[in-house]
Amino acid sequence: MSVSLTESAANQIKKQLEKRGKGIGLKLGIKKSGCSGYAYALDYADELAENEAVFEHFGVKIIVQEADLPVVDGIEVDYRREGINAAFQFNNPNVKATCGCGESFSV
């Protein structure tokens, strides 16, 4: 199983954690949502639970619940600026379809 970050995403996560003043990394998960089935859920991680896996890139930890790993295995999290907009982008090889608005996906 693998989850990776681009250098741009790692730098953004570092900035957010420094601004927040605490946290061990970023928690990446999935939730049932939208018309296609799943949506990504991001949150700060302050501690590690037994049922979570840790992946580290560019000095930043990404924490994923083991139950979510089959859906996000192989994902690359990127952070991109396009004009005045900036957002995390998810390059997930498991995605088979997305909804029209781009908020949800199916595997």
Side-chain angles (χ1 to χ4, degrees):
M1 297 283 174
S2 72
V3 172
S4 64
L5 293 172
T6 63
E7 189 171 3
S8 176
N11 289 336
Q12 182 62 26
I13 294 165
K14 283 180 192 175
K15 287 179 193 174
Q16 290 177 344
L17 289 172
E18 287 171 6
K19 184 177 179 180
R20 184 172 180 252
K22 65 177 182 174
I24 62 168
L26 183 72
K27 192 173 281 197
L28 169 66
I30 55 165
K31 61 182 179 179
K32 296 227 181 234
S33 179
C35 51
S36 289
Y38 296 106
Y40 298 106
L42 296 176
D43 199 1
Y44 298 107
D46 292 325
E47 56 188 40
L48 187 61
E50 284 186 31
N51 65 341
E52 293 176 327
V54 178
F55 303 89
E56 188 167 345
H57 298 278
F58 302 102
V60 173
K61 291 182 174 98
I62 261 207
I63 293 103
V64 181
Q65 285 189 345
E66 290 175 357
D68 294 344
L69 282 172
V71 176
V72 299
D73 181 33
I75 194 169
E76 177 190 62
V77 180
D78 192 10
Y79 185 78
R80 295 188 199 142
R81 289 193 175 278
E82 295 176 8
I84 61 171
N85 298 318
F88 286 103
Q89 304 285 320
F90 305 95
N91 303 314
N92 187 342
N94 303 305
V95 171
K96 302 294 183 219
T98 59
C99 67
C101 65
E103 291 295 316
S104 64
F105 64 93
S106 63
V107 292

